[in-house]
Amino acid sequence: MLSPTDASAGTAEAMAYSLTELSKRTGRTSAGTNLFLVGEGEESWRRLDKKVNKYPIQRTFTAIGSGGDVFKATMVKAVEGVVGTVHQECISDRSSSRGSYISVTVGPVWVESCDQIIEIYTRMKEDAKGDVKWII
């Protein structure tokens, strides 16, 4: 794996490297999906969300994983399953320099509550069946 300072590293690879290294330092294994809500989990995230967000809001979801076009379609379906159809111009992807990973961004989309955000993250993780590495 490349270091984040390697000039040939793509954005997705550099981010995956950095996050994996951070996980190692904090005693986490990188064998599973990494879902970023807050260090103490969902309840802590809900408390923070209540303080800083007023709904409805626009939100962008990004997932990094393997599986190419199938992975992209799965991530889009996960978001659309909660908020409805997403316009094509709100969907983008970028492959890593070696083609090992794809970063898929869906949004901005309108979400009505923090429950919808959590539902989208849950669907992204479950629907990808192991192909997703990072959800941001």
Side-chain angles (χ1 to χ4, degrees):
M1 184 176 276
L2 301 172
S3 78
T5 57
D6 188 323
S8 65
T11 302
E13 286 177 325
M15 180 175 275
Y17 175 85
S18 297
L19 295 173
T20 300
E21 289 302 306
L22 178 62
S23 293
K24 287 179 189 175
R25 291 187 190 132
T26 59
R28 293 194 61 236
T29 63
S30 59
T33 300
N34 295 284
L35 174 62
F36 296 105
L37 292 174
V38 168
E40 286 107 38
E42 185 179 318
E43 287 308 312
S44 177
W45 184 85
R46 284 180 182 277
R47 284 191 302 274
L48 176 62
D49 179 74
K50 189 174 183 178
K51 291 179 184 177
V52 299
N53 291 320
K54 300 242 187 265
Y55 292 93
I57 62 171
Q58 287 190 316
R59 181 74 183 244
T60 299
F61 299 89
T62 301
I64 300 170
S66 56
D69 289 339
V70 172
F71 178 76
K72 178 180 177 181
T74 301
M75 295 300 98
V76 172
K77 180 181 169 194
V79 176
E80 288 183 332
V82 176
V83 300
T85 303
V86 176
H87 294 283
Q88 194 62 37
E89 63 269 11
C90 295
I91 302 167
S92 64
D93 65 88
R94 183 170 181 203
S95 294
S96 62
S97 61
R98 294 187 182 179
S100 302
Y101 296 99
I102 183 172
S103 171
V104 178
T105 301
V106 182
V109 297
W110 284 101
V111 291
E112 300 295 324
S113 68
C114 70
D115 291 329
Q116 282 189 322
I117 293 172
I118 292 169
E119 179 66 19
I120 290 169
Y121 284 137
T122 300
R123 287 178 182 222
M124 291 173 100
K125 180 180 177 184
E126 290 174 354
D127 293 352
K129 296 181 178 47
D131 288 339
V132 69
K133 302 299 178 196
W134 302 96
I135 299 172
I136 304 168

